[in-house]
mmCIF file of all heavy atoms in Angstrom:
data_model
loop_
_atom_site.group_PDB
_atom_site.id
_atom_site.type_symbol
_atom_site.label_atom_id
_atom_site.label_comp_id
_atom_site.label_asym_id
_atom_site.label_seq_id
_atom_site.Cartn_x
_atom_site.Cartn_y
_atom_site.Cartn_z
ATOM 1 N N ASP Q 1162 2.797 4.331 29.690
ATOM 2 C CA ASP Q 1162 2.759 3.337 28.607
ATOM 3 C C ASP Q 1162 2.699 4.138 27.233
ATOM 4 O O ASP Q 1162 1.692 4.873 27.038
ATOM 5 C CB ASP Q 1162 1.504 2.447 28.765
ATOM 6 C CG ASP Q 1162 1.271 1.510 27.572
ATOM 7 O OD1 ASP Q 1162 2.117 1.491 26.751
ATOM 8 O OD2 ASP Q 1162 0.149 0.909 27.566
ATOM 9 N N PRO Q 1163 3.607 3.947 26.370
ATOM 10 C CA PRO Q 1163 3.666 4.745 25.136
ATOM 11 C C PRO Q 1163 2.423 4.328 24.245
ATOM 12 O O PRO Q 1163 2.079 5.113 23.289
ATOM 13 C CB PRO Q 1163 4.915 4.282 24.440
ATOM 14 C CG PRO Q 1163 5.657 3.376 25.346
ATOM 15 C CD PRO Q 1163 4.831 3.108 26.502
ATOM 16 N N GLY Q 1164 1.762 3.195 24.490
ATOM 17 C CA GLY Q 1164 0.647 2.745 23.660
ATOM 18 C C GLY Q 1164 -0.718 3.235 24.168
ATOM 19 O O GLY Q 1164 -1.717 2.868 23.629
ATOM 20 N N VAL Q 1165 -0.699 4.088 25.160
ATOM 21 C CA VAL Q 1165 -1.918 4.574 25.813
ATOM 22 C C VAL Q 1165 -2.756 5.349 24.671
ATOM 23 O O VAL Q 1165 -2.129 6.000 23.733
ATOM 24 C CB VAL Q 1165 -1.579 5.441 27.014
ATOM 25 C CG1 VAL Q 1165 -0.926 6.740 26.568
ATOM 26 C CG2 VAL Q 1165 -2.909 5.731 27.741
ATOM 27 N N GLY Q 1166 -4.076 5.372 24.811
ATOM 28 C CA GLY Q 1166 -4.913 6.025 23.828
ATOM 29 C C GLY Q 1166 -4.999 7.563 24.312
ATOM 30 O O GLY Q 1166 -5.081 7.891 25.477
ATOM 31 N N ILE Q 1167 -4.837 8.493 23.358
ATOM 32 C CA ILE Q 1167 -4.773 9.939 23.671
ATOM 33 C C ILE Q 1167 -5.893 10.694 23.004
ATOM 34 O O ILE Q 1167 -5.985 10.661 21.757
ATOM 35 C CB ILE Q 1167 -3.413 10.509 23.384
ATOM 36 C CG1 ILE Q 1167 -2.342 9.792 24.206
ATOM 37 C CG2 ILE Q 1167 -3.469 12.012 23.629
ATOM 38 C CD1 ILE Q 1167 -0.882 10.313 23.881
ATOM 39 N N ILE Q 1168 -6.775 11.324 23.726
ATOM 40 C CA ILE Q 1168 -7.748 12.208 23.098
ATOM 41 C C ILE Q 1168 -7.502 13.630 23.560
ATOM 42 O O ILE Q 1168 -7.416 13.887 24.798
ATOM 43 C CB ILE Q 1168 -9.218 11.775 23.575
ATOM 44 C CG1 ILE Q 1168 -9.498 10.344 23.149
ATOM 45 C CG2 ILE Q 1168 -10.260 12.703 22.975
ATOM 46 C CD1 ILE Q 1168 -10.815 9.790 23.590
ATOM 47 N N LEU Q 1169 -7.385 14.550 22.592
ATOM 48 C CA LEU Q 1169 -7.118 15.927 22.844
ATOM 49 C C LEU Q 1169 -8.439 16.603 23.256
ATOM 50 O O LEU Q 1169 -9.481 16.380 22.652
ATOM 51 C CB LEU Q 1169 -6.614 16.598 21.652
ATOM 52 C CG LEU Q 1169 -5.125 16.373 21.245
ATOM 53 C CD1 LEU Q 1169 -4.918 17.018 19.864
ATOM 54 C CD2 LEU Q 1169 -4.226 16.975 22.191
ATOM 55 N N LEU Q 1170 -8.296 17.520 24.234
ATOM 56 C CA LEU Q 1170 -9.454 18.390 24.556
ATOM 57 C C LEU Q 1170 -9.099 19.803 24.053
ATOM 58 O O LEU Q 1170 -8.098 20.381 24.592
ATOM 59 C CB LEU Q 1170 -9.704 18.445 26.044
ATOM 60 C CG LEU Q 1170 -9.897 17.166 26.755
ATOM 61 C CD1 LEU Q 1170 -10.101 17.333 28.256
ATOM 62 C CD2 LEU Q 1170 -11.149 16.376 26.162
ATOM 63 N N THR Q 1171 -9.656 20.231 22.982
ATOM 64 C CA THR Q 1171 -9.249 21.545 22.440
ATOM 65 C C THR Q 1171 -10.285 22.564 22.375
ATOM 66 O O THR Q 1171 -11.460 22.223 22.214
ATOM 67 C CB THR Q 1171 -8.639 21.370 20.969
ATOM 68 O OG1 THR Q 1171 -9.629 20.897 20.104
ATOM 69 C CG2 THR Q 1171 -7.485 20.333 20.921
ATOM 70 N N ALA Q 1172 -9.899 23.846 22.418
ATOM 71 C CA ALA Q 1172 -10.837 24.944 22.214
ATOM 72 C C ALA Q 1172 -10.870 25.168 20.780
ATOM 73 O O ALA Q 1172 -10.054 24.787 19.926
ATOM 74 C CB ALA Q 1172 -10.366 26.164 22.967
ATOM 75 N N ARG Q 1173 -11.969 25.894 20.298
ATOM 76 C CA ARG Q 1173 -12.154 26.117 18.881
ATOM 77 C C ARG Q 1173 -10.980 26.883 18.256
ATOM 78 O O ARG Q 1173 -10.556 26.646 17.160
ATOM 79 C CB ARG Q 1173 -13.410 26.991 18.664
ATOM 80 C CG ARG Q 1173 -14.602 26.147 18.925
ATOM 81 C CD ARG Q 1173 -15.858 26.617 18.117
ATOM 82 N NE ARG Q 1173 -16.968 25.797 18.474
ATOM 83 C CZ ARG Q 1173 -17.243 24.623 18.164
ATOM 84 N NH1 ARG Q 1173 -16.507 23.972 17.318
ATOM 85 N NH2 ARG Q 1173 -18.361 23.996 18.660
ATOM 86 N N ALA Q 1174 -10.354 27.722 19.024
ATOM 87 C CA ALA Q 1174 -9.310 28.590 18.512
ATOM 88 C C ALA Q 1174 -8.009 27.861 18.452
ATOM 89 O O ALA Q 1174 -6.976 28.429 17.964
ATOM 90 C CB ALA Q 1174 -9.120 29.805 19.430
ATOM 91 N N GLU Q 1175 -7.986 26.607 18.873
ATOM 92 C CA GLU Q 1175 -6.674 25.926 18.891
ATOM 93 C C GLU Q 1175 -6.545 24.840 17.731
ATOM 94 O O GLU Q 1175 -5.878 23.778 17.940
ATOM 95 C CB GLU Q 1175 -6.538 25.092 20.205
ATOM 96 C CG GLU Q 1175 -6.504 26.019 21.397
ATOM 97 C CD GLU Q 1175 -6.563 25.314 22.797
ATOM 98 O OE1 GLU Q 1175 -7.142 24.300 22.840
ATOM 99 O OE2 GLU Q 1175 -5.897 25.785 23.723
#
Side-chain angles (χ1 to χ4, degrees):
D1162 173 10
V1165 68
I1167 298 176
I1168 299 176
L1169 288 172
L1170 306 178
T1171 62
R1173 288 207 189 282
E1175 293 174 328

